[in-house]
Amino acid sequence: MQTMEGTTIICVKRDGQVAMAGDGQVTLGSQVVKSGARKVRRIGGKNGIDVLAGFAGSTADAMTLLERFENQLDEHHGNLLRAASALMKDWRTDKYLRRLEAMMIVADRDDVFLLSGAGDILEPENGVAAIGSGGGFAQAAAFALVGETGLVASEIARKSIEIASRICIYTNDSIILEAIG
């Protein structure tokens, strides 16, 4: 699976809570152009559903996918898996969408899914999913924190981004965090 440069998103599900955090750094080549971007969003509120979505990759492409996902979520009455499956079908078959360069993590109280342009819908077995340039660093930190501490999901997500920001040049410590539960 291809790693998108320029961001870090982590999602942690633990003890009835799901939390998603992202850094705020936006880069253009080797230059930082923004340090406080919002790459993690709470969506689905129109239907009384709580869904978290985080994205990595081209900003315009990610926003297009986020809008399409939100429409699918409405159409499928908040069913996260059905909405993700419908988006993946469109993403693979639509000539315009196939060219989009982004990845997403979507989550509700029950499920966490990593969505890729290759049509993948991956559900992490261990409750931790990460994408972006610093995703591997944040995921490793989250695995350690889940295994060795009693921290709640939101604390693990925040600390994982903080750790990744010390290692990955495409990740900063301007953290946006959303949690459910």
PDB file of all heavy atoms in Angstrom, residues 77-109:
ATOM      1  N   HIS A  77     -27.975   5.409   5.676  1.00  0.00           N
ATOM      2  CA  HIS A  77     -28.544   5.619   7.020  1.00  0.00           C
ATOM      3  C   HIS A  77     -27.544   5.346   8.146  1.00  0.00           C
ATOM      4  O   HIS A  77     -27.877   4.735   9.148  1.00  0.00           O
ATOM      5  CB  HIS A  77     -29.796   4.764   7.197  1.00  0.00           C
ATOM      6  CG  HIS A  77     -30.778   4.921   6.088  1.00  0.00           C
ATOM      7  ND1 HIS A  77     -31.502   6.072   5.894  1.00  0.00           N
ATOM      8  CD2 HIS A  77     -31.115   4.081   5.073  1.00  0.00           C
ATOM      9  CE1 HIS A  77     -32.258   5.939   4.819  1.00  0.00           C
ATOM     10  NE2 HIS A  77     -32.050   4.743   4.291  1.00  0.00           N
ATOM     11  N   GLY A  78     -26.314   5.802   7.944  1.00  0.00           N
ATOM     12  CA  GLY A  78     -25.314   5.705   8.994  1.00  0.00           C
ATOM     13  C   GLY A  78     -24.586   4.383   9.082  1.00  0.00           C
ATOM     14  O   GLY A  78     -23.742   4.203   9.955  1.00  0.00           O
ATOM     15  N   ASN A  79     -24.863   3.437   8.189  1.00  0.00           N
ATOM     16  CA  ASN A  79     -24.170   2.149   8.209  1.00  0.00           C
ATOM     17  C   ASN A  79     -22.767   2.354   7.636  1.00  0.00           C
ATOM     18  O   ASN A  79     -22.590   2.537   6.430  1.00  0.00           O
ATOM     19  CB  ASN A  79     -24.952   1.114   7.406  1.00  0.00           C
ATOM     20  CG  ASN A  79     -24.332  -0.266   7.486  1.00  0.00           C
ATOM     21  OD1 ASN A  79     -23.138  -0.440   7.265  1.00  0.00           O
ATOM     22  ND2 ASN A  79     -25.163  -1.250   7.804  1.00  0.00           N
ATOM     23  N   LEU A  80     -21.776   2.327   8.514  1.00  0.00           N
ATOM     24  CA  LEU A  80     -20.399   2.656   8.146  1.00  0.00           C
ATOM     25  C   LEU A  80     -19.851   1.705   7.085  1.00  0.00           C
ATOM     26  O   LEU A  80     -19.251   2.149   6.105  1.00  0.00           O
ATOM     27  CB  LEU A  80     -19.504   2.644   9.392  1.00  0.00           C
ATOM     28  CG  LEU A  80     -18.108   3.208   9.215  1.00  0.00           C
ATOM     29  CD1 LEU A  80     -18.157   4.706   8.963  1.00  0.00           C
ATOM     30  CD2 LEU A  80     -17.258   2.918  10.439  1.00  0.00           C
ATOM     31  N   LEU A  81     -20.042   0.408   7.258  1.00  0.00           N
ATOM     32  CA  LEU A  81     -19.506  -0.563   6.307  1.00  0.00           C
ATOM     33  C   LEU A  81     -20.146  -0.417   4.930  1.00  0.00           C
ATOM     34  O   LEU A  81     -19.459  -0.426   3.914  1.00  0.00           O
ATOM     35  CB  LEU A  81     -19.682  -1.988   6.822  1.00  0.00           C
ATOM     36  CG  LEU A  81     -19.150  -3.088   5.898  1.00  0.00           C
ATOM     37  CD1 LEU A  81     -17.670  -2.890   5.584  1.00  0.00           C
ATOM     38  CD2 LEU A  81     -19.383  -4.458   6.523  1.00  0.00           C
ATOM     39  N   ARG A  82     -21.451  -0.246   4.885  1.00  0.00           N
ATOM     40  CA  ARG A  82     -22.126  -0.090   3.590  1.00  0.00           C
ATOM     41  C   ARG A  82     -21.696   1.200   2.899  1.00  0.00           C
ATOM     42  O   ARG A  82     -21.490   1.230   1.689  1.00  0.00           O
ATOM     43  CB  ARG A  82     -23.636  -0.141   3.768  1.00  0.00           C
ATOM     44  CG  ARG A  82     -24.094  -1.563   4.134  1.00  0.00           C
ATOM     45  CD  ARG A  82     -25.576  -1.706   4.178  1.00  0.00           C
ATOM     46  NE  ARG A  82     -26.109  -1.603   2.818  1.00  0.00           N
ATOM     47  CZ  ARG A  82     -27.348  -1.228   2.548  1.00  0.00           C
ATOM     48  NH1 ARG A  82     -28.186  -0.933   3.520  1.00  0.00           N
ATOM     49  NH2 ARG A  82     -27.766  -1.164   1.307  1.00  0.00           N
ATOM     50  N   ALA A  83     -21.551   2.271   3.673  1.00  0.00           N
ATOM     51  CA  ALA A  83     -21.106   3.545   3.107  1.00  0.00           C
ATOM     52  C   ALA A  83     -19.674   3.416   2.574  1.00  0.00           C
ATOM     53  O   ALA A  83     -19.363   3.890   1.481  1.00  0.00           O
ATOM     54  CB  ALA A  83     -21.203   4.654   4.145  1.00  0.00           C
ATOM     55  N   ALA A  84     -18.804   2.769   3.339  1.00  0.00           N
ATOM     56  CA  ALA A  84     -17.413   2.569   2.913  1.00  0.00           C
ATOM     57  C   ALA A  84     -17.358   1.694   1.659  1.00  0.00           C
ATOM     58  O   ALA A  84     -16.608   1.991   0.721  1.00  0.00           O
ATOM     59  CB  ALA A  84     -16.601   1.936   4.041  1.00  0.00           C
ATOM     60  N   SER A  85     -18.148   0.639   1.615  1.00  0.00           N
ATOM     61  CA  SER A  85     -18.179  -0.253   0.448  1.00  0.00           C
ATOM     62  C   SER A  85     -18.651   0.486  -0.789  1.00  0.00           C
ATOM     63  O   SER A  85     -18.087   0.322  -1.883  1.00  0.00           O
ATOM     64  CB  SER A  85     -19.093  -1.451   0.713  1.00  0.00           C
ATOM     65  OG  SER A  85     -18.592  -2.220   1.771  1.00  0.00           O
ATOM     66  N   ALA A  86     -19.677   1.311  -0.654  1.00  0.00           N
ATOM     67  CA  ALA A  86     -20.196   2.074  -1.791  1.00  0.00           C
ATOM     68  C   ALA A  86     -19.155   3.073  -2.289  1.00  0.00           C
ATOM     69  O   ALA A  86     -18.961   3.234  -3.503  1.00  0.00           O
ATOM     70  CB  ALA A  86     -21.484   2.784  -1.402  1.00  0.00           C
ATOM     71  N   LEU A  87     -18.465   3.741  -1.363  1.00  0.00           N
ATOM     72  CA  LEU A  87     -17.419   4.671  -1.760  1.00  0.00           C
ATOM     73  C   LEU A  87     -16.302   3.941  -2.489  1.00  0.00           C
ATOM     74  O   LEU A  87     -15.809   4.404  -3.517  1.00  0.00           O
ATOM     75  CB  LEU A  87     -16.854   5.427  -0.550  1.00  0.00           C
ATOM     76  CG  LEU A  87     -15.701   6.386  -0.875  1.00  0.00           C
ATOM     77  CD1 LEU A  87     -16.180   7.530  -1.760  1.00  0.00           C
ATOM     78  CD2 LEU A  87     -15.073   6.918   0.393  1.00  0.00           C
ATOM     79  N   MET A  88     -15.900   2.790  -1.970  1.00  0.00           N
ATOM     80  CA  MET A  88     -14.823   2.025  -2.601  1.00  0.00           C
ATOM     81  C   MET A  88     -15.209   1.583  -4.008  1.00  0.00           C
ATOM     82  O   MET A  88     -14.391   1.618  -4.920  1.00  0.00           O
ATOM     83  CB  MET A  88     -14.445   0.805  -1.770  1.00  0.00           C
ATOM     84  CG  MET A  88     -13.707   1.122  -0.490  1.00  0.00           C
ATOM     85  SD  MET A  88     -12.117   1.951  -0.755  1.00  0.00           S
ATOM     86  CE  MET A  88     -12.592   3.662  -0.728  1.00  0.00           C
ATOM     87  N   LYS A  89     -16.453   1.183  -4.191  1.00  0.00           N
ATOM     88  CA  LYS A  89     -16.926   0.789  -5.524  1.00  0.00           C
ATOM     89  C   LYS A  89     -16.818   1.972  -6.476  1.00  0.00           C
ATOM     90  O   LYS A  89     -16.293   1.841  -7.589  1.00  0.00           O
ATOM     91  CB  LYS A  89     -18.359   0.289  -5.455  1.00  0.00           C
ATOM     92  CG  LYS A  89     -18.895  -0.128  -6.803  1.00  0.00           C
ATOM     93  CD  LYS A  89     -20.329  -0.575  -6.716  1.00  0.00           C
ATOM     94  CE  LYS A  89     -20.850  -0.868  -8.112  1.00  0.00           C
ATOM     95  NZ  LYS A  89     -22.291  -0.845  -8.178  1.00  0.00           N
ATOM     96  N   ASP A  90     -17.307   3.135  -6.039  1.00  0.00           N
ATOM     97  CA  ASP A  90     -17.210   4.336  -6.870  1.00  0.00           C
ATOM     98  C   ASP A  90     -15.750   4.697  -7.139  1.00  0.00           C
ATOM     99  O   ASP A  90     -15.383   5.049  -8.264  1.00  0.00           O
ATOM    100  CB  ASP A  90     -17.899   5.521  -6.194  1.00  0.00           C
ATOM    101  CG  ASP A  90     -19.407   5.395  -6.155  1.00  0.00           C
ATOM    102  OD1 ASP A  90     -19.956   4.506  -6.846  1.00  0.00           O
ATOM    103  OD2 ASP A  90     -20.040   6.171  -5.412  1.00  0.00           O
ATOM    104  N   TRP A  91     -14.918   4.622  -6.116  1.00  0.00           N
ATOM    105  CA  TRP A  91     -13.519   5.013  -6.221  1.00  0.00           C
ATOM    106  C   TRP A  91     -12.785   4.145  -7.249  1.00  0.00           C
ATOM    107  O   TRP A  91     -11.950   4.617  -8.001  1.00  0.00           O
ATOM    108  CB  TRP A  91     -12.862   4.900  -4.849  1.00  0.00           C
ATOM    109  CG  TRP A  91     -11.608   5.695  -4.635  1.00  0.00           C
ATOM    110  CD1 TRP A  91     -10.849   6.346  -5.561  1.00  0.00           C
ATOM    111  CD2 TRP A  91     -10.965   5.921  -3.394  1.00  0.00           C
ATOM    112  NE1 TRP A  91      -9.764   6.951  -4.967  1.00  0.00           N
ATOM    113  CE2 TRP A  91      -9.820   6.702  -3.627  1.00  0.00           C
ATOM    114  CE3 TRP A  91     -11.231   5.531  -2.093  1.00  0.00           C
ATOM    115  CZ2 TRP A  91      -8.945   7.099  -2.628  1.00  0.00           C
ATOM    116  CZ3 TRP A  91     -10.360   5.933  -1.088  1.00  0.00           C
ATOM    117  CH2 TRP A  91      -9.235   6.711  -1.354  1.00  0.00           C
ATOM    118  N   ARG A  92     -13.111   2.859  -7.284  1.00  0.00           N
ATOM    119  CA  ARG A  92     -12.460   1.943  -8.222  1.00  0.00           C
ATOM    120  C   ARG A  92     -12.985   2.065  -9.648  1.00  0.00           C
ATOM    121  O   ARG A  92     -12.252   1.846 -10.597  1.00  0.00           O
ATOM    122  CB  ARG A  92     -12.646   0.492  -7.774  1.00  0.00           C
ATOM    123  CG  ARG A  92     -11.773   0.060  -6.642  1.00  0.00           C
ATOM    124  CD  ARG A  92     -11.833  -1.440  -6.412  1.00  0.00           C
ATOM    125  NE  ARG A  92     -13.123  -2.059  -6.663  1.00  0.00           N
ATOM    126  CZ  ARG A  92     -14.109  -2.211  -5.780  1.00  0.00           C
ATOM    127  NH1 ARG A  92     -13.940  -1.766  -4.553  1.00  0.00           N
ATOM    128  NH2 ARG A  92     -15.228  -2.803  -6.095  1.00  0.00           N
ATOM    129  N   THR A  93     -14.264   2.383  -9.810  1.00  0.00           N
ATOM    130  CA  THR A  93     -14.881   2.305 -11.130  1.00  0.00           C
ATOM    131  C   THR A  93     -15.056   3.651 -11.826  1.00  0.00           C
ATOM    132  O   THR A  93     -15.125   3.697 -13.042  1.00  0.00           O
ATOM    133  CB  THR A  93     -16.251   1.603 -11.050  1.00  0.00           C
ATOM    134  OG1 THR A  93     -17.106   2.332 -10.165  1.00  0.00           O
ATOM    135  CG2 THR A  93     -16.098   0.171 -10.550  1.00  0.00           C
ATOM    136  N   ASP A  94     -15.145   4.732 -11.101  1.00  0.00           N
ATOM    137  CA  ASP A  94     -15.363   6.053 -11.692  1.00  0.00           C
ATOM    138  C   ASP A  94     -14.041   6.594 -12.257  1.00  0.00           C
ATOM    139  O   ASP A  94     -13.035   6.639 -11.544  1.00  0.00           O
ATOM    140  CB  ASP A  94     -15.920   6.998 -10.626  1.00  0.00           C
ATOM    141  CG  ASP A  94     -16.246   8.367 -11.174  1.00  0.00           C
ATOM    142  OD1 ASP A  94     -15.317   9.191 -11.303  1.00  0.00           O
ATOM    143  OD2 ASP A  94     -17.437   8.604 -11.465  1.00  0.00           O
ATOM    144  N   LYS A  95     -14.048   7.021 -13.528  1.00  0.00           N
ATOM    145  CA  LYS A  95     -12.813   7.490 -14.178  1.00  0.00           C
ATOM    146  C   LYS A  95     -12.189   8.671 -13.451  1.00  0.00           C
ATOM    147  O   LYS A  95     -10.980   8.776 -13.327  1.00  0.00           O
ATOM    148  CB  LYS A  95     -13.095   7.880 -15.623  1.00  0.00           C
ATOM    149  CG  LYS A  95     -13.285   6.710 -16.540  1.00  0.00           C
ATOM    150  CD  LYS A  95     -13.502   7.170 -17.966  1.00  0.00           C
ATOM    151  CE  LYS A  95     -13.738   5.967 -18.853  1.00  0.00           C
ATOM    152  NZ  LYS A  95     -13.944   6.365 -20.250  1.00  0.00           N
ATOM    153  N   TYR A  96     -13.014   9.570 -12.940  1.00  0.00           N
ATOM    154  CA  TYR A  96     -12.505  10.737 -12.216  1.00  0.00           C
ATOM    155  C   TYR A  96     -11.936  10.336 -10.859  1.00  0.00           C
ATOM    156  O   TYR A  96     -10.817  10.707 -10.501  1.00  0.00           O
ATOM    157  CB  TYR A  96     -13.621  11.774 -12.046  1.00  0.00           C
ATOM    158  CG  TYR A  96     -13.256  12.891 -11.099  1.00  0.00           C
ATOM    159  CD1 TYR A  96     -12.346  13.867 -11.467  1.00  0.00           C
ATOM    160  CD2 TYR A  96     -13.815  12.951  -9.822  1.00  0.00           C
ATOM    161  CE1 TYR A  96     -11.994  14.877 -10.600  1.00  0.00           C
ATOM    162  CE2 TYR A  96     -13.469  13.963  -8.947  1.00  0.00           C
ATOM    163  CZ  TYR A  96     -12.568  14.921  -9.338  1.00  0.00           C
ATOM    164  OH  TYR A  96     -12.214  15.913  -8.471  1.00  0.00           O
ATOM    165  N   LEU A  97     -12.716   9.566 -10.108  1.00  0.00           N
ATOM    166  CA  LEU A  97     -12.288   9.200  -8.752  1.00  0.00           C
ATOM    167  C   LEU A  97     -11.040   8.321  -8.753  1.00  0.00           C
ATOM    168  O   LEU A  97     -10.233   8.395  -7.826  1.00  0.00           O
ATOM    169  CB  LEU A  97     -13.419   8.482  -8.012  1.00  0.00           C
ATOM    170  CG  LEU A  97     -14.636   9.321  -7.632  1.00  0.00           C
ATOM    171  CD1 LEU A  97     -15.667   8.454  -6.929  1.00  0.00           C
ATOM    172  CD2 LEU A  97     -14.257  10.508  -6.786  1.00  0.00           C
ATOM    173  N   ARG A  98     -10.885   7.482  -9.769  1.00  0.00           N
ATOM    174  CA  ARG A  98      -9.725   6.583  -9.833  1.00  0.00           C
ATOM    175  C   ARG A  98      -8.410   7.334  -9.789  1.00  0.00           C
ATOM    176  O   ARG A  98      -7.392   6.784  -9.372  1.00  0.00           O
ATOM    177  CB  ARG A  98      -9.757   5.768 -11.130  1.00  0.00           C
ATOM    178  CG  ARG A  98     -10.263   4.394 -10.961  1.00  0.00           C
ATOM    179  CD  ARG A  98     -10.009   3.618 -12.212  1.00  0.00           C
ATOM    180  NE  ARG A  98     -10.606   4.302 -13.348  1.00  0.00           N
ATOM    181  CZ  ARG A  98     -11.206   3.701 -14.343  1.00  0.00           C
ATOM    182  NH1 ARG A  98     -11.282   2.402 -14.369  1.00  0.00           N
ATOM    183  NH2 ARG A  98     -11.723   4.390 -15.330  1.00  0.00           N
ATOM    184  N   ARG A  99      -8.421   8.583 -10.213  1.00  0.00           N
ATOM    185  CA  ARG A  99      -7.187   9.372 -10.256  1.00  0.00           C
ATOM    186  C   ARG A  99      -6.880  10.082  -8.929  1.00  0.00           C
ATOM    187  O   ARG A  99      -5.836  10.710  -8.799  1.00  0.00           O
ATOM    188  CB  ARG A  99      -7.288  10.392 -11.375  1.00  0.00           C
ATOM    189  CG  ARG A  99      -7.282   9.737 -12.737  1.00  0.00           C
ATOM    190  CD  ARG A  99      -7.152  10.794 -13.817  1.00  0.00           C
ATOM    191  NE  ARG A  99      -6.947  10.164 -15.100  1.00  0.00           N
ATOM    192  CZ  ARG A  99      -7.909   9.984 -15.994  1.00  0.00           C
ATOM    193  NH1 ARG A  99      -9.125  10.395 -15.740  1.00  0.00           N
ATOM    194  NH2 ARG A  99      -7.643   9.416 -17.145  1.00  0.00           N
ATOM    195  N   LEU A 100      -7.792  10.012  -7.991  1.00  0.00           N
ATOM    196  CA  LEU A 100      -7.580  10.718  -6.732  1.00  0.00           C
ATOM    197  C   LEU A 100      -6.474  10.062  -5.925  1.00  0.00           C
ATOM    198  O   LEU A 100      -6.389   8.846  -5.831  1.00  0.00           O
ATOM    199  CB  LEU A 100      -8.881  10.757  -5.920  1.00  0.00           C
ATOM    200  CG  LEU A 100     -10.050  11.488  -6.569  1.00  0.00           C
ATOM    201  CD1 LEU A 100     -11.235  11.520  -5.617  1.00  0.00           C
ATOM    202  CD2 LEU A 100      -9.675  12.887  -7.005  1.00  0.00           C
ATOM    203  N   GLU A 101      -5.643  10.897  -5.314  1.00  0.00           N
ATOM    204  CA  GLU A 101      -4.510  10.424  -4.531  1.00  0.00           C
ATOM    205  C   GLU A 101      -4.716  10.783  -3.064  1.00  0.00           C
ATOM    206  O   GLU A 101      -4.290  11.832  -2.608  1.00  0.00           O
ATOM    207  CB  GLU A 101      -3.217  11.036  -5.063  1.00  0.00           C
ATOM    208  CG  GLU A 101      -2.907  10.601  -6.482  1.00  0.00           C
ATOM    209  CD  GLU A 101      -1.628  11.220  -7.000  1.00  0.00           C
ATOM    210  OE1 GLU A 101      -0.863  11.797  -6.197  1.00  0.00           O
ATOM    211  OE2 GLU A 101      -1.395  11.120  -8.208  1.00  0.00           O
ATOM    212  N   ALA A 102      -5.389   9.886  -2.368  1.00  0.00           N
ATOM    213  CA  ALA A 102      -5.659  10.106  -0.951  1.00  0.00           C
ATOM    214  C   ALA A 102      -5.994   8.773  -0.298  1.00  0.00           C
ATOM    215  O   ALA A 102      -6.251   7.783  -0.979  1.00  0.00           O
ATOM    216  CB  ALA A 102      -6.817  11.083  -0.779  1.00  0.00           C
ATOM    217  N   MET A 103      -5.985   8.773   1.008  1.00  0.00           N
ATOM    218  CA  MET A 103      -6.412   7.625   1.813  1.00  0.00           C
ATOM    219  C   MET A 103      -7.256   8.178   2.946  1.00  0.00           C
ATOM    220  O   MET A 103      -7.104   9.333   3.321  1.00  0.00           O
ATOM    221  CB  MET A 103      -5.212   6.870   2.380  1.00  0.00           C
ATOM    222  CG  MET A 103      -4.360   6.209   1.334  1.00  0.00           C
ATOM    223  SD  MET A 103      -2.963   5.345   2.068  1.00  0.00           S
ATOM    224  CE  MET A 103      -3.775   3.889   2.681  1.00  0.00           C
ATOM    225  N   MET A 104      -8.111   7.334   3.497  1.00  0.00           N
ATOM    226  CA  MET A 104      -8.967   7.762   4.604  1.00  0.00           C
ATOM    227  C   MET A 104      -9.026   6.685   5.669  1.00  0.00           C
ATOM    228  O   MET A 104      -8.904   5.498   5.378  1.00  0.00           O
ATOM    229  CB  MET A 104     -10.403   8.003   4.117  1.00  0.00           C
ATOM    230  CG  MET A 104     -10.585   9.162   3.199  1.00  0.00           C
ATOM    231  SD  MET A 104     -12.296   9.300   2.623  1.00  0.00           S
ATOM    232  CE  MET A 104     -13.170   9.642   4.146  1.00  0.00           C
ATOM    233  N   ILE A 105      -9.263   7.128   6.889  1.00  0.00           N
ATOM    234  CA  ILE A 105      -9.673   6.235   7.976  1.00  0.00           C
ATOM    235  C   ILE A 105     -11.030   6.754   8.418  1.00  0.00           C
ATOM    236  O   ILE A 105     -11.197   7.961   8.626  1.00  0.00           O
ATOM    237  CB  ILE A 105      -8.695   6.250   9.162  1.00  0.00           C
ATOM    238  CG1 ILE A 105      -7.313   5.763   8.747  1.00  0.00           C
ATOM    239  CG2 ILE A 105      -9.240   5.378  10.301  1.00  0.00           C
ATOM    240  CD1 ILE A 105      -6.264   5.858   9.845  1.00  0.00           C
ATOM    241  N   VAL A 106     -11.984   5.854   8.538  1.00  0.00           N
ATOM    242  CA  VAL A 106     -13.315   6.213   9.033  1.00  0.00           C
ATOM    243  C   VAL A 106     -13.635   5.302  10.207  1.00  0.00           C
ATOM    244  O   VAL A 106     -13.224   4.145  10.242  1.00  0.00           O
ATOM    245  CB  VAL A 106     -14.401   6.114   7.933  1.00  0.00           C
ATOM    246  CG1 VAL A 106     -14.134   7.143   6.846  1.00  0.00           C
ATOM    247  CG2 VAL A 106     -14.488   4.727   7.346  1.00  0.00           C
ATOM    248  N   ALA A 107     -14.365   5.839  11.187  1.00  0.00           N
ATOM    249  CA  ALA A 107     -14.647   5.055  12.390  1.00  0.00           C
ATOM    250  C   ALA A 107     -15.936   5.523  13.047  1.00  0.00           C
ATOM    251  O   ALA A 107     -16.281   6.703  13.000  1.00  0.00           O
ATOM    252  CB  ALA A 107     -13.497   5.190  13.387  1.00  0.00           C
ATOM    253  N   ASP A 108     -16.634   4.568  13.655  1.00  0.00           N
ATOM    254  CA  ASP A 108     -17.748   4.889  14.546  1.00  0.00           C
ATOM    255  C   ASP A 108     -17.521   4.116  15.835  1.00  0.00           C
ATOM    256  O   ASP A 108     -16.432   3.579  16.051  1.00  0.00           O
ATOM    257  CB  ASP A 108     -19.109   4.591  13.882  1.00  0.00           C
ATOM    258  CG  ASP A 108     -19.344   3.121  13.556  1.00  0.00           C
ATOM    259  OD1 ASP A 108     -18.574   2.246  14.025  1.00  0.00           O
ATOM    260  OD2 ASP A 108     -20.321   2.831  12.834  1.00  0.00           O
ATOM    261  N   ARG A 109     -18.504   4.039  16.693  1.00  0.00           N
ATOM    262  CA  ARG A 109     -18.338   3.350  17.982  1.00  0.00           C
ATOM    263  C   ARG A 109     -17.922   1.892  17.829  1.00  0.00           C
ATOM    264  O   ARG A 109     -17.229   1.348  18.677  1.00  0.00           O
ATOM    265  CB  ARG A 109     -19.645   3.369  18.761  1.00  0.00           C
ATOM    266  CG  ARG A 109     -19.966   4.670  19.374  1.00  0.00           C
ATOM    267  CD  ARG A 109     -21.191   4.515  20.273  1.00  0.00           C
ATOM    268  NE  ARG A 109     -21.606   5.796  20.771  1.00  0.00           N
ATOM    269  CZ  ARG A 109     -21.040   6.380  21.824  1.00  0.00           C
ATOM    270  NH1 ARG A 109     -20.082   5.792  22.474  1.00  0.00           N
ATOM    271  NH2 ARG A 109     -21.467   7.555  22.221  1.00  0.00           N
TER     272      ARG A 109
END
